[in-house]
């Protein structure tokens, strides 16, 4: 594995509101290497988008606040000022595609000019050179008749074509990291597959890293190398994609897997989708101990009292759960045995 491009350690982000302090991200750490796809998964409100947006200066501060942690992009401390505006890194170092391209593009500008503007601002291209490059980027993003399409407006594009245009814009400045925040949620499954293939092809061509933010484990299975499972602002399990799907060690990861539609006859749930009971916790006042304990079918007394330590379950595979403690007895079905290291 190459040197990490992005190294994030113990990141804490909160929001000061009239109702109190929302502890949105609580001690998140991760690395991203060139050519790697890191998927961040979890239910809505688990902190996956806030984690990445805070690093890009996309969180309004105040009310947002990064009150602890560090983040280094190619060795450069991007949180040095604590209130980052992200101008230096957005587009040129890290760029982002959003889930709804319909609302992310300017309806009054043609597509080519919107892509060209990025190149003029970040790369100093002239207007005509930037527009010519925009056509090349649309072509790379597999938009047919790119020269003609570049002169059209967003309303003349389908949803899938708009997402391709967003991808063309995102890769315009050859970023080291592309953040894809639910990139296929608004698309039908056929177009979804095409967009994921396109992202994979572009990653092969450019060597960029991808941070994929999603609640869709089908997308994760198709794209990810590494997976980070978040719950209530914390990372509860991380590992390679096979670890998460075939050797998961955290009950929440197991719950997400069982809630995933599949056409495999041999699934443990025998094709019945099993919802996770309850709702994510209130982050004004996260539960003591393991934040998942009010919903966890295996919760023990200790879970409500003390936060579980991180356990190593295999090479590059860790989970935070008391079930892996040496005193916890046999693991429930469906959870993979850990190395059961002592405390
Ligand atoms: Fe469930 Fe306890 Fe493990 Fe939390 S620590 S996931 S409550 S068993």
């Amino acid at each position: 594995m190459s040197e990490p491009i992005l190294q994030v350690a113990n990141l804490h982000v909160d929001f000061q509101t009239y109702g109190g302090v929302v502890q949105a991200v609580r001690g998140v750490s991760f690395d991203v290497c060139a050519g790697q796809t890191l998927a961040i998964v979890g239910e809505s409100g688990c902190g996956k988008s806030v984690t990445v947006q805070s690093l890009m200066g996309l969180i309004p501060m105040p009310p947002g606040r990064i009150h602890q942690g560090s983040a280094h992009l190619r060795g450069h401390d991007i949180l040095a000022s604590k209130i980052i505006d992200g101008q230096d890194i957005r587009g040129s170092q890290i760029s982002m595609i959003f889930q709804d391209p319909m609302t992310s593009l300017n309806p009054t500008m043609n597509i080519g000019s919107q892509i060209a503007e990025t190149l003029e601002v970040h790369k100093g291209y002239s207007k005509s050179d930037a527009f010519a490059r925009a056509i090349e980027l649309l072509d790379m993003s597999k938009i047919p008749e790119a020269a003609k399409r570049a002169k059209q407006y967003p309303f003349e594009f389908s949803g899938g074509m708009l997402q391709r245009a967003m991808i063309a814009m995102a890769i315009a400045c050859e970023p080291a990291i592309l953040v894809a925040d639910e990139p296929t949620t608004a698309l039908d499954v056929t177009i979804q597959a095409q967009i994921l293939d396109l992202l994979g092809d572009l990653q092969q061509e450019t060597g960029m890293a991808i941070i994929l933010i999603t609640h869709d484990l089908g997308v994760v299975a198709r794209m990810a190398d590494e997976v980070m499972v978040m719950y209530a602002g914390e990372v509860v399990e991380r590992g390679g994609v096979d670890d998460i799907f075939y050797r998961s060690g955290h009950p929440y990861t197991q719950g997400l897997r069982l809630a995933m539609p599949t056409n495999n006859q041999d699934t443990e749930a025998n094709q019945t989708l099993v919802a996770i009971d309850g709702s994510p916790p209130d982050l004004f006042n996260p539960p003591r101990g393991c934040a998942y304990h009010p919903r966890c079918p295996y919760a023990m007394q200790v879970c409500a009292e003390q936060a579980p330590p991180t356990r190593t379950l295999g090479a590059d595979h860790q989970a935070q759960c008391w079930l892996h403690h040496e005193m916890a007895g046999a693991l429930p079905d469906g959870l993979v045995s850990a190395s059961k290291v002592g405390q």
Side-chain angles (χ1 to χ4, degrees):
M1 187 64 72
S2 55
E3 278 288 294
I5 308 171
L6 178 65
Q7 293 175 289
V8 178
N10 196 27
L11 184 73
H12 288 254
V13 183
D14 58 31
F15 292 88
Q16 317 272 334
T17 72
Y18 290 116
V21 178
V22 181
Q23 301 169 46
V25 177
R26 305 187 295 145
V28 168
S29 303
F30 63 94
D31 292 348
V32 185
C33 297
Q36 181 195 30
T37 299
L38 168 71
I40 308 179
V41 302
E43 292 163 288
S44 297
C46 70
K48 51 193 191 302
S49 295
V50 174
T51 298
V52 177
Q53 288 178 9
S54 65
L55 302 174
M56 296 178 71
L58 291 173
I59 301 280
M61 296 187 189
R65 183 177 67 125
I66 297 172
H67 70 93
Q68 205 178 322
S70 65
H72 290 84
L73 181 66
R74 290 182 162 144
H76 173 68
D77 184 356
I78 55 174
L79 301 185
S81 72
K82 293 284 178 199
I83 302 177
I84 53 171
D85 68 10
Q87 288 285 7
D88 292 345
I89 58 167
R90 256 195 329 260
S92 56
Q93 301 276 355
I94 308 180
S95 59
M96 191 160 194
I97 50 174
F98 297 92
Q99 68 175 264
D100 187 0
M102 292 284 187
T103 54
S104 304
L105 288 161
N106 183 339
T108 68
M109 283 173 80
N110 68 46
I111 297 283
S113 299
Q114 296 191 53
I115 299 169
E117 193 178 47
T118 312
L119 291 160
E120 289 168 45
V121 171
H122 290 290
K123 294 271 186 182
Y125 277 51
S126 68
K127 249 189 171 23
S128 57
D129 286 352
F131 200 85
R133 178 64 182 148
I135 293 171
E136 287 174 13
L137 289 161
L138 287 172
D139 194 44
M140 274 174 77
S141 302
K142 301 197 170 67
I143 291 200
E145 300 182 272
K148 180 177 147 202
R149 289 293 193 168
K151 293 180 187 144
Q152 294 182 330
Y153 288 80
F155 76 89
E156 296 173 274
F157 276 45
S158 66
M161 298 269 279
L162 284 173
Q163 195 58 295
R164 287 171 195 274
M166 288 293 295
I167 291 170
M169 192 183 298
I171 62 168
C173 296
E174 297 163 27
I177 301 171
L178 176 69
V179 178
D181 191 351
E182 307 278 8
T184 55
T185 302
L187 306 174
D188 67 54
V189 284
T190 313
I191 305 299
Q192 188 178 99
Q194 291 171 5
I195 293 294
L196 295 178
D197 285 347
L198 173 62
L199 286 173
D201 291 348
L202 291 171
Q203 185 178 38
Q204 290 265 318
E205 266 173 55
T206 62
M208 66 187 173
I210 295 178
I211 299 178
L212 182 64
I213 299 171
T214 184
H215 60 261
D216 185 341
L217 287 191
V219 173
V220 174
R222 191 179 177 126
M223 290 283 293
D225 301 306
E226 297 286 321
V227 184
M228 193 165 93
V229 182
M230 286 188 69
Y231 186 77
E234 298 177 312
V235 178
V236 295
E237 183 164 6
R238 71 177 76 226
V241 69
D242 287 347
D243 293 328
I244 297 303
F245 280 91
Y246 302 114
R247 297 183 285 276
S248 54
H250 196 283
Y252 181 59
T253 313
Q254 183 190 37
L256 291 178
R257 262 196 301 113
L258 295 178
M260 184 176 98
T262 172
N263 57 9
N264 183 352
Q265 301 287 336
D266 301 326
T267 54
E268 24 185 318
N270 199 21
Q271 290 193 297
T272 304
L273 296 186
V274 183
I276 300 175
D277 286 339
S279 307
D282 176 359
L283 292 181
F284 281 113
N285 188 18
R288 240 182 109 209
C290 170
Y292 189 53
H293 84 260
R295 304 172 75 188
C296 180
Y298 316 121
M300 302 167 281
Q301 193 177 343
V302 66
C303 304
E305 293 167 358
Q306 288 183 48
T310 300
R311 295 289 173 178
T312 298
L313 310 183
D316 302 321
H317 182 199
Q318 290 117 30
Q320 284 189 337
C321 177
W322 282 115
L323 290 172
H324 297 291
H325 190 271
E326 58 184 359
M327 308 283 286
L331 280 168
D333 284 350
L335 289 177
V336 167
S337 61
S339 48
K340 291 231 170 194
V341 285
Q343 210 173 17

